[in-house]
Amino acid sequence: MGADENIRPLEASIVTDFRDRMSYASYLDLDTLLSAQHPVSTPVHHDELLFIIAHQTSELWLKLTLHELEGATSALARDDVAVALKCIARVKHIQKSLTEQWSVLATLTPTEYSQFRGFLGNASGFQSCQYRAVEFVLGNKNADALRVFESDPPSHELLSRLLAQPSLYDEFWRHLSRAGLDVPESALTRDVSAPYTSNTELIPLIKQVYEHPHEHWAAYESFEELVDLEENFQLWRFRHMRTVLRTIGTKAGTGGSSGVGFLQRALDLTFFPELFAVRTEVGR
């Protein structure tokens, strides 16, 4: 095969002059995006770029996750369950990307990470405003967490707003009530700024839906979508914990947490507890 046979010629219609046109790079602002990686190790360690890009990529996915979850919450508030489920379906795919991304970071060995970890100071994923915002939208609210963001007014303002607003789950029960299901008053009038706790008064309604799905198909489908959402989140948490264990063992986190122990305790947190508790009751 000659050299000229291994070339794909440009088609005559392909645009090549971008002096007065929007290009791929300008649309995506690649100059800004690709110049946003600033290693702090001295001398710069080869693997720090991996560490930075992995976390920056996660933040981009979290930005989209938050966008979609807020979209789903708003859709439920106006009883547009189809749009809400579409947003949740997209989030589920994003979660898969976020979870698989830990496998890239896990290629960072303890030896490699230890050579630049000390330069991070107190910077820690615990300080991710967007991660905290996602948890708030899903109902895992903690007003104490706002103290971490007191020196960051925009982040503090975002979390304060989400703390005071109904979560996705709150709006879901309000939607079902308007749809004619017998949702207990306790689920409709709870303090939405408080961390969500299991409400056993919801179990009979959820059980009824699961045992008669064809009579309540929209609710039945929605329950399972929410279960998928939580399971994916738990898988992400687990991969996070295991990656940290693989990389630093049981050392304390750079942000002051206990590290792996702190992440393990997060696995006990739940967003939609009744949707799992009902499994024990169905079929009895």
Side-chain angles (χ1 to χ4, degrees):
M1 179 183 290
D4 58 341
E5 296 177 10
N6 198 32
I7 296 175
R8 181 176 60 171
L10 291 182
E11 296 172 350
S13 59
I14 290 178
V15 177
T16 58
D17 185 355
F18 293 96
R19 286 171 295 183
D20 299 313
R21 295 182 174 93
M22 178 179 291
S23 69
Y24 175 82
S26 60
Y27 174 68
L28 296 178
D29 196 7
L30 291 184
D31 285 345
T32 299
L33 182 65
L34 298 180
S35 62
Q37 295 74 46
H38 306 290
V40 296
S41 55
T42 306
V44 173
H45 191 275
H46 172 83
D47 296 302
E48 191 178 356
L49 185 62
L50 159 65
F51 190 79
I52 292 172
I53 288 177
H55 287 83
Q56 287 182 337
T57 305
S58 292
E59 289 294 332
L60 287 172
W61 283 127
L62 285 171
K63 181 174 183 176
L64 184 55
T65 298
L66 182 60
H67 175 70
E68 297 296 339
L69 288 177
E70 288 202 271
T73 304
S74 297
L76 288 173
R78 62 177 185 270
D79 296 323
D80 195 342
V81 69
V83 168
L85 293 183
K86 169 63 176 176
C87 291
I88 290 173
R90 182 172 291 162
V91 169
K92 287 162 55 178
H93 286 286
I94 298 169
Q95 288 177 307
K96 291 179 181 179
S97 293
L98 279 166
T99 300
E100 185 57 33
Q101 192 169 295
W102 289 117
S103 66
V104 182
L105 199 57
T107 65
L108 188 65
T109 69
T111 302
E112 292 163 347
Y113 185 39
S114 66
Q115 294 178 47
F116 66 86
R117 185 177 188 246
F119 291 94
L120 302 182
N122 293 123
S124 166
F126 180 78
Q127 299 145 17
S128 169
C129 171
Q130 293 193 124
Y131 172 79
R132 195 64 53 199
V134 167
E135 287 216 327
F136 277 21
V137 172
L138 292 176
N140 184 14
K141 299 184 179 183
N142 183 349
D144 285 345
L146 269 68
R147 291 188 290 132
V148 177
F149 304 95
E150 287 178 351
S151 60
D152 181 356
S155 295
H156 193 276
E157 181 180 352
L158 170 63
L159 293 176
S160 296
R161 173 176 65 81
L162 294 176
L163 182 70
Q165 289 181 354
S167 69
L168 174 72
Y169 205 38
D170 290 322
E171 290 291 5
F172 176 65
W173 292 117
R174 295 177 183 188
H175 158 70
L176 289 187
S177 178
R178 291 190 295 270
L181 276 71
D182 188 19
V183 179
E185 190 69 15
S186 56
L188 304 175
T189 59
R190 77 174 203 92
D191 178 4
V192 298
S193 67
Y196 190 83
T197 57
S198 183
N199 183 350
T200 57
E201 293 183 356
L202 286 166
I203 298 296
L205 169 59
I206 301 172
K207 182 180 179 182
Q208 179 186 10
V209 169
Y210 271 106
E211 293 183 339
H212 305 280
H214 293 289
E215 297 175 19
H216 311 283
W217 190 263
Y220 178 71
E221 180 183 15
S222 299
F223 286 167
E224 286 298 286
E225 290 295 311
L226 292 176
V227 167
D228 285 345
L229 194 63
E230 172 153 340
E231 281 204 343
N232 287 346
F233 207 96
Q234 291 288 34
L235 288 172
W236 182 90
R237 283 172 169 162
F238 180 76
R239 288 296 299 274
H240 182 191
M241 182 270 292
R242 294 299 302 183
T243 300
V244 171
L245 180 63
R246 176 174 177 156
T247 308
I248 67 169
T250 58
K251 295 185 183 76
T254 49
S257 75
S258 58
V260 167
F262 185 77
L263 297 175
Q264 284 178 323
R265 289 191 293 277
L267 294 173
D268 294 328
L269 301 175
T270 178
F271 299 118
F272 318 123
E274 303 86 0
L275 299 185
F276 289 88
V278 78
R279 264 90 178 141
T280 307
E281 303 300 325
V282 171
R284 279 188 172 180

